[in-house]
Amino acid sequence: MAPGGLKRPTTDEMAKPARRNDVEGKRARRRRQVIDAAATVFAEKGYHGASTRDIAERLQMQQGSLYYYFPSKDAALEEVCRAGVADFVEGLERIVAGPAPAGDKIRAAVANHLEPFGDRPDYVRTFLFDRHALPRGARREVGALSRRYEALLERLFAEGVAAGAFRPDLDARVAMLAFIGTCNMAAMRGRSGEALPLHRMIAGFADLILAGAAVR
Amino acid sequence: MAPGGLKRPTTDEMAKPARRNDVEGKRARRRRQVIDAAATVFAEKGYHGASTRDIAERLQMQQGSLYYYFPSKDAALEEVCRAGVADFVEGLERIVAGPAPAGDKIRAAVANHLEPFGDRPDYVRTFLFDRHALPRGARREVGALSRRYEALLERLFAEGVAAGAFRPDLDARVAMLAFIGTCNMAAMRGRSGEALPLHRMIAGFADLILAGAAVR
Amino acid sequence: MAPGGLKRPTTDEMAKPARRNDVEGKRARRRRQVIDAAATVFAEKGYHGASTRDIAERLQMQQGSLYYYFPSKDAALEEVCRAGVADFVEGLERIVAGPAPAGDKIRAAVANHLEPFGDRPDYVRTFLFDRHALPRGARREVGALSRRYEALLERLFAEGVAAGAFRPDLDARVAMLAFIGTCNMAAMRGRSGEALPLHRMIAGFADLILAGAAVR
Amino acid sequence: MAPGGLKRPTTDEMAKPARRNDVEGKRARRRRQVIDAAATVFAEKGYHGASTRDIAERLQMQQGSLYYYFPSKDAALEEVCRAGVADFVEGLERIVAGPAPAGDKIRAAVANHLEPFGDRPDYVRTFLFDRHALPRGARREVGALSRRYEALLERLFAEGVAAGAFRPDLDARVAMLAFIGTCNMAAMRGRSGEALPLHRMIAGFADLILAGAAVR
DNA sequence: TATGAATGAGTATTCATTCAT
DNA sequence: GATGAATGAATACTCATTCAT
């Protein structure tokens, strides 16, 4: 179910000689630390509320040294947002394409949506709250992904209705919004001790979306 | 159902002589325009992304002149957030205290929650996304309101379970989170043409929360 | 003969009521001081070698306060360059259009060229040495003026040849270059005590260009 | 007539064994490339407008690697300026000391002055426009060379007057300035396609300085 | 009420330079 | 000989805020 996370430019990892791989690995690892720090700070204070100094301090590094790893704060946000949105669509596509009954698909979709909140919450939260701060081009690309995700989800509900698995009067668009809103709630509860365990959210949210609160 | 809105300096409105009242009214009206502008700009760019210049420009006013109306940007945020959160709790308290069956209460609560999004979306959205930027004191107060709101909502679900109206295995806390997440979805869809009409959201969200998506 | 200097936006000076005029005057005067300071610093250290701090210090002002008067260092350079190039073309056009014999026109042209070096040397020098640092648009405009000036000057020589006043084998293009190079020499000798008095340069340069060094 | 150019570490070239010489040659060649790149970049953007990164990029080299070839940007400028001013004085000294009539000497001096613009324009232009950015010591030395050059040139004119070859009322100082200004015009026309061929400038400038524009 | 001028601290970013490898 | 990583100071510019008028 699309665990993934972000394994940056690992491509042809084995093609390179060991030594080179090691060096590359070191550099990549450091780079990852830097982007991680950016994600954390962005998630904590918001993109505009976070300064490059904040990021540097967290790395015990000089402010300007960051620019060795990314060309601008904007670019860092872009990288974080892309990683934050990654896998959502792919995972959902696999689920939608699968053979399972509609109800199971919804359950799988909830799990697919919530897992990244456990894996890399700072990336996802930054994507959710600060994607509007992205520079034009990236905003558009990332926005397209979002819309694709929503369309898939809406289709999932619509197909459930068509298959007779969901109520015939179900408003697929509304259901899609409720699904996303519900799942993204996990983003607001981040980092605090008050957070519910993820598995409880996954099960609970799926039950609610499928069966609702009322007795039958 | 609790229209309210923010009629800020309503206090002792009638205590003052008519003339004075008129002048006060003018002043108050201007003041309102200023806070409105702040809310709009905060909602558009986020608190940290918005500058006092942005606010002043929207009012066709000089940057420094704003400070005649509020003592600091922080204070403006505070005022906006307070207005953004106002009525939510009062409305929900009235509903919870009422005699209606649990299902009807949920429907009423959805309406109570979504109405402010129609009335003063910029205030609500600023509250939702930027309350963490509030200065300590205000953040705590506003946080207390939030927690009170959540507690009320959770109680509403719990009482429904106890009364046999809701599934006995319903996780009231999870249901509360889903409720809020679902309803706050209205905030993300703001301002764009793609927004769904409010009444469709109210009905659809309530149906989903109560009956779920699956056929019975 | 090239009175000018730069009397910025003095337009319809008398149309406005006295009071307003006074205030406007004050603002304009301050603005002028700021641009003057920029011109001086640019002339002294070159555009890239000069920092906005340098400019501010010279005005006993805070660095950021400069931006009340111009929107960017680039813009300040543009204003300085425009003022530095102003009047050159107009003056030369008047001379070229006039009825005087070719030799007298050259003399007048030398005076026209050198006068701004006396009036506002920092502006002219900045234009001469740093116009290439101008942002695209302004560079083009200012470059067009330069080319127009050169074309006029070359025509002046060419017409002198045609009229029989100048040697028939005179290369007008080369003569134009020599003229400009010679006159711009005044820019290199700026500010230092070793500067020759302007009138001596005017007379001497004109004599040389017309009669050369050799005995007849 | 003083072709020269800069064969920097020519000293004790032959003292070393052939093999070493070869290696040294390689090193020297690389070194030359580096200084060449610096000269080009300085000429293009001005000393302060050029960054060490610009230089490194042009060499497809890492920024820090430059410091293997020069100890500081200042030092690179110094080397470029010294090479830019080299030979001017020596060449002129030879001409002044020679037996030719004054007019011929002027012609020779024009050629002497313009040749380096063909040989190593980036060096000469950097010297002309950025020598003021040199560190104190070098600036003084280079300034002394300049003054010596001017003095020689002025003497050349003065001796021409004394010898009756030049007009008795010729202002030698003014003539010297005109000479230099005229010849340095070649520096402004650099790199662009609009440049005149050097030989045309040499002949034309010399004619103008000697005979002037007017008919006799 | 409001403006225009200014401040002082802060922002992202660039730079020349260093140094272990 | 050269690289990659880093530094520390400087850069242009923005910001919230103040205050005399």
Side-chain angles (χ1 to χ4, degrees), chain A residues 11 31 53 77 90-91 126 131 137 152 166:
Chain A
T11 16
R31 212 191 121 75
R53 248 197 121 215
L77 175 65
E90 292 86 325
T126 297
R131 81 180 107 148
L152 278 169
F166 295 161

Side-chain angles (χ1 to χ4, degrees), chain C residues 27 62 65 68-69:
Chain C
R27 172 151 174 62
Q62 205 72 9
S65 308
Y68 191 78
Y69 294 99

Side-chain angles (χ1 to χ4, degrees), chain D residues 19 40 44 59 65 100 119 157 194:
Chain D
R19 188 67 62 87
T40 304
E44 242 167 40
L59 292 158
S65 310
D119 280 8
F157 280 109
E194 31 162 352

Side-chain angles (χ1 to χ4, degrees), chain A residues 134-156:
Chain A
L134 282 170
R136 241 198 181 26
R139 188 164 65 243
R140 269 208 267 268
E141 284 183 53
V142 149
L145 279 181
S146 283
R147 276 189 301 279
R148 170 128 187 80
Y149 186 74
E150 295 181 5
L152 278 169
L153 210 46
E154 192 173 335
R155 211 175 93 198
L156 209 160

Side-chain angles (χ1 to χ4, degrees), chain B residues 108-136:
Chain B
V110 170
N112 177 68
H113 194 111
L114 287 189
E115 257 158 15
F117 288 89
D119 280 7
R120 48 199 148 96
D122 296 335
Y123 287 80
V124 183
R125 291 171 67 187
T126 297
F127 161 72
L128 281 177
F129 296 123
D130 284 319
R131 83 178 105 146
H132 73 273
L134 282 170
R136 240 201 183 23

